[in-house]
Amino acid sequence: MIRIATKLGLAAAAGAMLLAGAAADARPRLTGEEQLAKLLEGRVEGKPVNCINLPQVQSSHVIDKTAIVYGSGNTIYVQRPKSGASTLDSTDILVTLQTTSQLCNLDVVQLRDRNGWFWRGFVALDQFVPYTRAPKVAMAN
């Protein structure tokens, strides 16, 4: 009888922990546009460019159904694809077949599933919009 009570107690404790975790995850999830806006806070938009130099890209980040963000030093480049943006998923792996060291607005990026590596679609790229941190304003005395 004590074993059954112990097992029930453990099961109840595990259930309570799962519910607590679910409640913590219940906070509203930001939309792709909201995530991008948060990422761009404090940054200034530059003139769009047709290509970025891949050896200088240090990171890439997919924002669900919105954009791909490439990090290069103090600059981030926002890529809002001409087509296929609605299929972007933050769990996708980006596959690009390159013949040069640049990624350009005429290129196509394949989307692959992270778990099964199966093909999920593609996006046709557009111009890259650079964003840099706004210069700090010196306070006058």
Side-chain angles (χ1 to χ4, degrees), residues 100-121:
T100 68
S101 64
Q102 292 189 319
L103 184 61
C104 295
N105 62 336
L106 299 176
D107 290 329
V108 172
V109 176
Q110 293 181 11
L111 307 174
R112 298 286 179 147
D113 177 74
R114 184 172 301 280
N115 297 319
W117 191 248
F118 59 86
W119 186 78
R120 283 199 358 88

Side-chain angles (χ1 to χ4, degrees), residues 13-93:
M17 289 173 56
L18 284 173
L19 287 175
D25 289 340
R27 64 181 177 268
R29 186 177 166 109
L30 297 176
T31 66
E33 290 297 335
E34 291 169 333
Q35 290 176 40
L36 184 58
K38 187 174 181 179
L39 182 67
L40 297 177
E41 284 178 2
R43 293 186 175 267
V44 177
E45 182 177 339
K47 182 179 176 187
V49 296
N50 290 330
C51 300
I52 58 174
N53 194 7
L54 283 176
Q56 293 176 343
V57 172
Q58 299 159 339
S59 65
S60 63
H61 175 74
V62 176
I63 298 177
D64 291 342
K65 299 180 183 355
T66 307
I68 305 169
V69 178
Y70 296 93
S72 179
N74 293 325
T75 304
I76 59 173
Y77 293 90
V78 175
Q79 173 52 244
R80 290 181 177 266
K82 290 180 210 175
S83 66
S86 64
T87 64
L88 286 172
D89 187 301
S90 59
T91 63
D92 286 339
I93 294 174

